[in-house]
Amino acid sequence: MPATLAGRLSRAGTMLLLALLIASAWVIAFAVSEQARKAALGAGFERAGADALATEQFAQKTVVMTAMLRSLAQRWQALARPEDEGRRRDVETTIRAILANPQAGVGQFGIADAIGTVQWHSQAGHDRFSVADRDHFQQHRDGQPGPIFGRPSLVGEPLLPVSWRLVDAQGDFAGAAIALLRPADIAPLLANIVERDGSLTALVRLEGELLAGSQRAASRIGDTVLGAPMRQVLLRDGIFRLAQPLVPGGPERLIVGRLVPGTNLVAIGAAGAAESLQTALLLQRTAHLAALGFTGLILLCAALVLVAERARRAQTEAAVLVAGQQELQRLHGKLPAVIFLREVAADGSSRLTYRAGDVRAVTGWPGGELDAVEDWSPLYDEEAPPREVMVREVLRTGSAEHKWRIRQPDGGWRHLVMRMERLSLRPDGGGEIVGYLRDATTEQAALDRAAATRAELDDILTLAPVIVFRARAWTGGGCQAEAGQGCFQEEFVSRSVEQVAGWTPDALAAAGGLPGVLTPAETLAEGMQAMARDDAWSADLSLRRPDGGAIVLRMTTRVVARPGDSAIDFVGYLADVTAERDAKARAITSARLASLGEVSAGLAHELKQPLLAIGLAIGNTEQAADRGDLAAVRSRLGRISGYVARAASVVDHLRRYARGADEGAAPGPVPVDQALDGALAVLGGTLRDAGVELRVALGQPVPVVLGHLVPLEQVLVNLIGNARDALQEQARDVLQQNEGTGPRCITVAAAREGDSVLLTIADNGGGIPDTVMARLFQPFVTTKTADHGTGLGLSLCQGLVQHMGGSIAAANEGDGAVFRIRLPAYTPADAG
């Protein structure tokens, strides 16, 4: 153990030492890089400072030249007597000679008097105008001697005013001497100062405007390039250094500015930052590579140490390593792709720096014929874009994929796919690109087979009695933002649309597609929202035929993809259910007539009693008339009138029940006891005949629902009648088994629960079979024999309840079945 522990400590110490060596190498590399960067910046600022100093000297020469002109102007003003006219012309000739010298850089010269009127100008026709409103003239009038470099004139040829204060013999203000410099003449003189790429020189007013510069700055004359912070530094120190673009949007520069003594002129020298740091970047890369190489050397040493420590296993590990390298080479050579790396220059040209993979398997060219060929584009078909276009696209967008074919040795073609990704992007626009080229022949063949299969499927679907389609829909805000064709756009419609709906594909497209012929549009829009929520939807819609007719289609859809936040892709089919709807309507009518027959039988039972009473009352009335008992006659006639009113009420209820409710009528208040009384007017006699006890618990006050009276009566008649039939059937079964029967009862209860009213109809008739319960409210589902039921009663009940905004549910509880109906409660606010 001590030896093992010592060995571990020795290894740990060795690793720590190696780690320290690596860290030291990188620290030195970063320090060297930073020092080189600082030195390069210093050298760049030094070059810019030298350019600024040379520019300042040039500016001082200009100041001296304009000062000479100012002296001549002072002399010209002093020669104001008529006898001095000849000497004044000599002065003018001297001034024009100076202006004619291109090295002077002065384009025009003028002399203004104390009120700002130009008394003399070097160019004829330019005198007698006023400069009194110019800033530099006003400064001279206030005592500023000059020179003052004014704002450049940008109308026509740019001109730069330089003015001096003129005084008379007594030293009072006598006007101004104004020299107009041409920036176009100054630019080449400033350009001679700069001999390096990326550098420029310029003259800038202390107030900020660019006055003149070498060729790179000449196009920005008049732009503000000097900010307030730099002006403060210049006024304090006379010089500034700054690394930033000289003009907005320009390249990064190392700028040195010097305030020309006694003037408001700043001499600028600027060196290109990228050019100045180029050597530093090269040194930085060299230092990093050296550190990387040192790191590799240290790691190699560490590996050698580990190998030395594991000498006993070296032979086995070496054998495994060799086998692994051989396997890697074998697998690398059999890759089903050609991997490559390209170095891209700023102009879009590129060179291949790495390529590996199974060239023969990918390209189809055997014998290594393409291994030594860098450019394979002569073998590509016309679908392949030029290489420069592809690499520029990758550098711009980050990735690209293209497909084309490569010619085979036998003259055939093979499909290829090239995928490229951007690895790096340099400031000059170049970079590195990695990519792969793979054989897509099998894939293309599969796509061709899929296209043929789709065509065959379309042919098959043409004969199908349904319309199959694929579409995309947009929901929410995407409805207006996408496609420009509404919220629903089909991508495929089977040709069976002509067989089912009478529309040819072209005619359907001209009509606006499926959304243009399906109604109501509101249902279709609700369906799109339902699919976005539930992934599936089905509903019956009306389709307009080309001949003006209409058929009913059932649309069934399912979402297959969600390509965006608001878009859904779905497939579906449209089946003609016109015949089914007609059959269902006839069945509903039949069920309604059957229900009306039962109602009529119940009402006939209710009419029997008043008619018998009327018959007896008539006989008694005749006897009383024979006796001459008028009081008895009047009494019996009043009783007969009451019986007639009762019979009329029963007949009126039958008429109202047969007519049904107006589907377009607005819902109103319906007291539950009133609907129950109407139902009992129909069923009361049959319940008594069947020996069924009706228990009612409506509470106080009696709940009032928001709905329609007759539909609620129909629902109660159907449910109470079904409970009565179940109790009768149960009684027959018990009698057949010679067993005693208990009390048979139906309970009707109602209670308000918040914003709704809950109606409960319960019986003790044994309940509903589980096999029927799951589909109880579906049409044609019944537990009765064919001559006692149509199976549509509960389906009608569900439709009536849902039409009133409610719900109905059934369950087996205790000794029988319980139906629960929940309807909206009526409140006084509903009446408004």
Side-chain angles (χ1 to χ4, degrees):
M1 290 297 294
T4 304
L5 179 61
R8 291 179 178 175
L9 291 176
S10 176
R11 286 196 299 272
T14 302
M15 294 302 168
L16 179 60
L17 177 60
L18 295 177
L20 289 174
L21 290 174
I22 292 174
S24 300
W26 281 104
V27 167
I28 293 172
F30 284 120
V32 170
S33 300
E34 182 63 19
Q35 188 63 32
R37 190 185 71 83
K38 291 180 179 179
L41 287 175
F45 276 120
E46 228 178 90
R47 290 192 298 272
D51 293 342
L53 179 60
T55 304
E56 178 186 0
Q57 293 171 353
F58 171 80
Q60 289 174 342
K61 291 179 182 178
T62 303
V63 169
V64 170
M65 182 63 66
T66 58
M68 183 186 304
L69 292 171
R70 178 247 186 196
S71 298
L72 292 172
Q74 189 76 57
R75 183 178 178 186
W76 183 89
Q77 275 193 339
L79 298 172
R81 295 176 303 176
E83 58 270 23
D84 295 332
E85 183 65 25
R87 297 173 63 190
R88 175 176 276 192
R89 286 196 184 92
D90 291 341
V91 172
E92 293 172 358
T93 301
T94 302
I95 292 174
R96 286 192 176 93
I98 293 174
L99 299 183
N101 183 4
Q103 297 297 322
V106 181
Q108 301 175 27
F109 186 75
I111 303 171
D113 60 14
I115 62 174
T117 302
V118 177
Q119 299 296 317
W120 180 84
H121 198 279
S122 60
Q123 292 185 358
H126 285 67
D127 52 355
R128 314 311 299 174
F129 69 89
S130 177
V131 295
D133 59 341
R134 308 296 170 85
D135 291 344
H136 54 84
F137 182 83
Q138 294 173 5
Q139 292 179 43
H140 291 317
R141 187 175 54 198
D142 294 339
Q144 177 63 255
I148 297 175
F149 286 78
R151 291 188 179 90
S153 171
L154 301 179
V155 178
E157 181 186 12
L159 295 173
L160 170 61
V162 183
S163 60
W164 291 82
R165 189 171 191 265
L166 298 177
V167 296
D168 56 15
Q170 290 75 35
D172 296 328
F173 177 62
I178 306 169
L180 298 176
L181 309 182
R182 284 194 298 267
D185 293 339
I186 298 175
L189 299 176
L190 292 176
N192 291 335
I193 299 174
V194 181
E195 297 181 356
R196 296 172 301 278
D197 292 337
S199 299
L200 60 82
T201 56
L203 296 175
V204 180
R205 290 183 75 213
L206 184 61
E207 291 77 5
E209 296 92 341
L210 178 64
L211 302 179
S214 56
Q215 297 301 323
R216 292 186 179 88
S219 61
R220 308 301 288 268
I221 291 175
D223 290 358
T224 299
V225 298
L226 201 63
M230 288 185 283
R231 289 199 293 272
Q232 294 175 1
V233 174
L234 283 169
L235 291 173
R236 186 186 68 237
D237 303 330
I239 188 172
F240 72 82
R241 290 186 175 189
L242 193 63
Q244 69 173 38
L246 180 61
V247 294
E252 183 87 3
R253 297 187 182 278
L254 306 179
I255 304 172
V256 175
R258 299 177 65 92
L259 182 62
V260 179
T263 71
N264 65 329
L265 188 64
V266 180
I268 297 291
E275 292 79 359
S276 299
L277 293 175
Q278 187 173 7
T279 303
L281 290 175
L282 180 60
L283 182 59
Q284 181 183 37
R285 291 176 182 172
T286 304
H288 289 175
L289 288 175
L292 184 63
F294 184 75
T295 301
L297 180 61
I298 294 299
L299 293 177
L300 179 61
C301 293
L304 292 176
V305 170
L306 292 176
V307 169
E309 290 183 354
R310 301 173 183 176
R312 290 176 299 174
R313 294 183 294 173
Q315 185 175 1
T316 303
E317 292 179 356
V320 172
L321 179 61
V322 170
Q325 289 175 341
Q326 292 175 347
E327 182 66 13
L328 179 61
Q329 292 174 355
R330 185 182 68 84
L331 295 175
H332 189 266
K334 293 298 181 180
L335 280 176
V338 175
I339 303 172
F340 61 87
L341 182 68
R342 300 197 74 89
E343 178 77 19
V344 185
D347 60 358
S349 61
S350 62
R351 65 182 183 89
L352 184 68
T353 58
Y354 177 79
R355 184 169 66 198
D358 194 340
V359 175
R360 176 177 179 177
V362 173
T363 65
W365 283 80
E369 296 182 35
L370 298 183
D371 290 349
V373 179
E374 177 181 347
D375 186 8
W376 297 346
S377 57
L379 299 176
Y380 297 157
D381 65 3
E382 64 277 1
E383 296 296 326
R387 181 190 299 163
E388 290 76 10
V389 174
M390 288 191 292
V391 298
R392 285 196 181 111
E393 177 186 1
V394 176
L395 290 179
R396 183 180 69 256
T397 64
S399 64
E401 183 173 296
H402 294 278
K403 297 180 180 180
W404 59 74
R405 297 181 303 168
I406 185 172
R407 184 168 50 81
Q408 298 295 285
D410 59 1
W413 295 94
R414 176 174 293 204
H415 292 272
L416 299 178
V417 172
M418 178 178 284
R419 175 77 182 181
M420 292 184 288
E421 298 282 345
R422 183 180 64 205
L423 276 183
S424 64
L425 184 64
R426 296 192 304 272
D428 64 356
E432 288 182 306
I433 290 176
V434 67
Y436 64 83
L437 192 69
R438 64 179 178 86
D439 182 7
T441 304
T442 303
E443 176 184 323
Q444 186 63 40
L447 292 175
D448 294 340
R449 289 194 298 270
T453 302
R454 283 196 297 270
E456 182 180 358
L457 178 61
D458 194 17
D459 292 339
I460 295 173
L461 291 177
T462 303
L463 304 177
V466 295
I467 303 170
V468 180
F469 65 92
R470 178 186 176 98
R472 173 170 291 183
W474 292 268
T475 58
C479 178
Q480 289 78 28
E482 301 287 348
Q485 298 184 8
C487 303
F488 180 107
Q489 180 184 359
E490 65 266 18
E491 300 172 352
F492 166 78
V493 179
S494 63
R495 294 200 301 270
S496 57
V497 67
E498 184 172 3
Q499 173 186 340
V500 175
W503 290 94
T504 64
D506 292 340
L508 181 64
L514 292 176
V517 298
L518 290 173
T519 57
E522 295 80 6
T523 302
L524 192 60
E526 291 171 0
M528 301 304 102
Q529 298 291 340
M531 278 194 292
R533 182 182 63 251
D534 305 326
D535 285 344
W537 175 66
S538 180
D540 290 352
L541 299 168
S542 177
L543 183 139
R544 174 173 54 85
R545 293 176 58 88
D547 58 7
I551 58 175
V552 179
L553 297 178
R554 180 163 299 150
M555 177 183 282
T556 303
T557 63
R558 179 168 294 278
V559 175
V560 295
R562 294 180 181 270
D565 293 339
S566 62
I568 53 174
D569 289 343
F570 60 96
V571 295
Y573 65 89
L574 291 161
D576 187 354
V577 294
T578 305
E580 177 187 330
R581 290 283 290 267
D582 292 343
K584 184 176 180 181
R586 290 194 295 271
I588 291 174
T589 302
S590 175
R592 182 175 178 81
L593 291 175
S595 176
L596 187 60
E598 181 177 353
V599 169
S600 300
L603 292 178
H605 187 282
E606 293 297 320
L607 286 173
K608 182 178 181 181
Q609 181 179 356
L611 290 176
L612 290 174
I614 290 172
L616 292 173
I618 290 174
N620 292 334
T621 302
E622 290 176 348
Q623 294 175 3
D626 293 340
R627 294 194 306 269
D629 189 350
L630 295 178
V633 170
R634 291 189 183 95
S635 175
R636 284 168 173 75
L637 287 176
R639 192 177 300 170
I640 290 172
S641 178
Y643 289 146
V644 171
R646 179 180 174 185
S649 174
V650 171
V651 172
D652 183 64
H653 186 83
L654 176 61
R655 184 185 300 109
R656 186 173 71 248
Y657 190 91
R659 186 170 58 247
D662 182 4
E663 293 184 358
V670 180
V672 175
D673 57 347
Q674 184 178 346
L676 182 60
D677 289 344
L680 294 180
V682 176
L683 297 174
T686 62
L687 292 176
R688 289 191 295 272
D689 293 346
V692 175
E693 176 187 357
L694 183 68
R695 299 174 182 175
V696 179
L698 301 183
Q700 290 296 331
V702 176
V704 180
V705 301
L706 183 64
H708 300 91
L709 175 60
V710 174
L712 186 54
E713 286 181 359
Q714 292 175 349
V715 172
L716 292 175
V717 166
N718 200 301
L719 295 179
I720 295 174
N722 285 348
R724 177 204 61 199
D725 294 344
L727 289 168
Q728 286 182 315
E729 183 66 25
Q730 183 190 46
R732 284 194 293 269
D733 294 342
V734 171
L735 289 175
Q736 290 176 1
Q737 297 175 9
N738 297 320
E739 296 180 0
T741 60
R744 291 175 288 165
C745 66
I746 299 174
T747 302
V748 179
R752 178 156 180 169
E753 297 181 354
D755 295 334
S756 63
V757 174
L758 179 64
L759 278 74
T760 304
I761 298 92
D763 62 60
N764 59 351
I768 301 169
D770 293 339
T771 56
V772 177
M773 182 65 78
R775 49 194 182 93
L776 187 62
F777 294 101
Q778 296 179 7
F780 310 111
V781 175
T782 182
T783 59
K784 301 177 183 179
T785 59
D787 55 345
H788 284 82
T790 62
L792 293 172
L794 290 178
S795 176
L796 288 174
C797 287
Q798 186 183 49
L800 292 172
V801 170
Q802 290 177 347
H803 183 70
M804 290 186 286
S807 62
I808 183 172
N812 289 323
E813 297 180 6
D815 296 331
V818 178
F819 285 83
R820 291 183 174 87
I821 303 171
R822 190 174 295 277
L823 291 169
Y826 173 80
T827 59
D830 297 325

